Amino acid sequence: MPSSSDQHPLVAHVFYRFDVGGLENGVVNLINHMPAGAYRHAIIALTEVTDFQRRIQRDDVQCIALNKPPGHLYRLFPRLVRIFRELKPAIVHSRNLAALEVTVPARLAGVPVRIHGEHGRDVGDLDGSNKTYQWVRRFYNPFVSHWIALSRDLEGYLTGRVGIAQRKVTQIYNGVDAARFHPADRAVSPALTLAGCPFRHPDHWLVGTVGRMQTVKDQTLLARAFIRVLEQAPELKPRLRLVMIGDGPLRSEAQALLDAAGVADLAWLPGERHDVPEVLRSLDCFVLPSLAEGISNTILEAMAAGLPVIATQVGGNPELVADGRTGMLVPPSDPEAMARAIIACATDPDQTRRMGQAGRAEVERRFSMEAMVGAYQGLYDRSLQIDTKAN
């Protein structure tokens, strides 16, 4: 448990729910890789904290679950004020629209710096045109000291449609642990297998995805595209296999599509896994079929693993995937376009190998963990200095 007497400033990271996901994974990476002598950290979830907290490697991080019932957050304002006064954080760092309201009790509790991060689109506002969501952000802007946008797309949304002053917005890309996520050495282990997976190299060519199986991620698009690939290029049927890792409402929908098409034996949907680096190293091609994205951790992890990436052309995906060089971009909700991209990758191993190598090099050049941690730590430092000078 962190001690309020510790001299290092405390950052309270606030989420709607602390569970498996790209947003949460990015914060865990930040906590694990930021120098312990710089900042202490606490996790506050408005609803629940799951076993995902075990990914945090530091033993001084307090996790608090508020078990918020359905409805507006303002009913919890008094409790949040008490928590912030007890913890005495120097910074409250909230993330995404569902946690934006905490900037009010944070200010009432005297927290000097309130930072809010925009990590991606909501399923109800895929293109950022929702006027209510824009108004909500404008309303809470006076309570926010500084905004963070994970992509240039989100930065443009905040400074454009929402109308936040450019000086209050910083764009910071996610970073990836390139040592943990690294390419498989097929020269050493050509018959690579993944525990529990019915498919194996070199007999099979695996295309797959990893992530929460929820509406905004649209994994059913990949299932439909896989079915179309087998219809359009039946010669791939002996080798092509589909791997979909994750759990959620779309898992049963994707399985039903595959069952109805009679190709369920060519696909593996095991649910949630905790060995994502090994999963990625077992694939030949990674697909992200999302309807909306900020900056996808899984794309970066796949690139770090040396995989070509097929992604929908939404949100920050074009900022990560160089079309034709590190992967392919396709329109969202278009199974025909995705099927063509999968066929192109599956039938040209030399090209896909070059794409994977280029993606790994791009991660090392632009998306290192060190760069991400340095950017956040620098922003925290500057924000506290500005507050000190103001007082």
Side-chain angles (χ1 to χ4, degrees):
M1 296 268 287
S3 168
S4 61
S5 63
D6 194 306
Q7 295 303 306
H8 303 309
L10 174 68
V11 181
H13 304 274
V14 185
F15 308 80
Y16 180 76
R17 186 170 185 262
F18 193 64
D19 197 3
V20 177
L23 184 162
E24 296 83 359
N25 186 61
V27 177
V28 167
N29 284 335
L30 179 65
I31 292 172
N32 288 343
H33 289 85
M34 184 174 287
Y39 290 92
R40 295 176 297 125
H41 303 272
I43 298 291
I44 299 175
L46 302 181
T47 53
E48 64 177 325
V49 175
T50 71
D51 288 344
F52 186 70
Q53 66 179 300
R54 294 175 182 170
R55 280 279 324 277
I56 299 173
Q57 295 170 2
R58 292 177 56 164
D59 59 6
D60 63 342
V61 178
Q62 183 178 2
C63 294
I64 301 171
L66 301 183
N67 301 306
K68 173 187 172 296
H72 289 291
L73 181 63
Y74 64 79
R75 296 183 181 89
L76 289 178
F77 277 12
R79 185 178 176 192
L80 279 164
V81 169
R82 289 195 300 271
I83 290 172
F84 290 142
R85 285 175 175 167
E86 290 171 2
L87 292 178
K88 296 181 174 61
I91 298 170
V92 163
H93 189 161
S94 55
R95 288 166 169 87
N96 279 349
L97 189 61
L100 178 56
E101 292 173 88
V102 304
T103 55
V104 175
R107 182 169 175 178
L108 292 173
V111 177
V113 175
R114 288 90 48 200
I115 292 174
H116 182 74
E118 293 284 336
H119 287 245
R121 301 287 190 198
D122 187 85
V123 69
D125 189 25
L126 297 179
D127 62 356
S129 62
N130 187 302
K131 299 294 185 182
T132 299
Y133 290 174
Q134 294 171 24
W135 179 87
V136 168
R137 289 177 170 90
R138 291 189 202 104
F139 178 82
Y140 286 101
N141 182 42
F143 300 95
V144 178
S145 307
H146 203 83
W147 299 72
I148 295 176
L150 259 67
S151 66
R152 292 194 298 270
D153 172 66
L154 289 170
E155 180 184 25
Y157 167 73
L158 290 174
T159 58
R161 290 186 172 182
V162 178
I164 308 297
Q166 183 68 57
R167 61 179 172 77
K168 287 188 66 175
V169 181
T170 297
Q171 190 263 312
I172 300 176
Y173 283 125
N174 281 340
V176 62
D177 188 341
R180 182 168 178 247
F181 292 90
H182 61 81
D185 191 342
R186 296 277 165 79
V188 175
S189 303
L192 184 66
T193 59
L194 177 67
C197 182
F199 315 129
R200 59 178 286 149
H201 292 280
D203 300 330
H204 301 121
W205 194 88
L206 275 57
V207 59
T209 193
V210 178
R212 288 179 185 167
M213 300 191 76
Q214 56 190 17
T215 302
V216 73
K217 299 300 181 182
D218 199 19
Q219 286 93 345
T220 52
L221 170 63
L222 176 55
R224 294 195 303 272
F226 180 73
I227 294 167
R228 291 296 293 138
V229 168
L230 297 176
E231 293 171 348
Q232 295 174 13
E235 69 276 11
L236 291 176
K237 191 169 184 178
R239 292 186 59 242
L240 184 64
R241 298 294 183 267
L242 175 64
V243 173
M244 302 179 75
I245 304 296
D247 209 352
L250 293 192
R251 182 183 173 197
S252 59
E253 292 185 30
Q255 186 69 64
L257 286 169
L258 297 164
D259 290 341
V263 297
D265 60 325
L266 307 183
W268 185 52
L269 288 73
E272 186 179 319
R273 300 272 298 204
H274 298 285
D275 55 349
V276 174
E278 290 74 20
V279 168
L280 293 175
R281 281 191 283 274
S282 75
L283 299 179
D284 294 283
C285 180
F286 180 82
V287 178
L288 191 75
S290 302
L291 295 171
E293 281 292 339
I295 289 297
S296 168
N297 276 302
T298 50
I299 283 183
L300 292 176
E301 291 165 357
M303 290 170 62
L307 295 177
V309 175
I310 299 171
T312 46
Q313 195 162 3
V314 298
N317 289 353
E319 299 174 40
L320 305 183
V321 179
D323 191 28
R325 190 169 68 84
T326 66
M328 297 183 182
L329 294 168
V330 300
S333 306
D334 190 338
E336 297 294 330
M338 182 165 285
R340 289 193 296 270
I342 293 172
I343 292 172
C345 287
T347 55
D348 193 343
D350 290 337
Q351 180 193 32
T352 55
R353 191 178 305 111
R354 288 192 297 270
M355 285 180 173
Q357 291 169 347
R360 172 71 187 190
E362 195 75 354
V363 162
E364 293 174 346
R365 186 176 70 87
R366 297 177 58 208
F367 304 108
S368 71
M369 188 66 67
E370 293 76 16
M372 180 193 76
V373 171
Y376 276 100
Q377 186 174 336
L379 178 60
Y380 290 166
D381 291 347
R382 291 192 301 274
S383 297
L384 289 176
Q385 289 171 0
I386 290 171
D387 174 72
T388 300
K389 290 177 181 178
N391 292 290

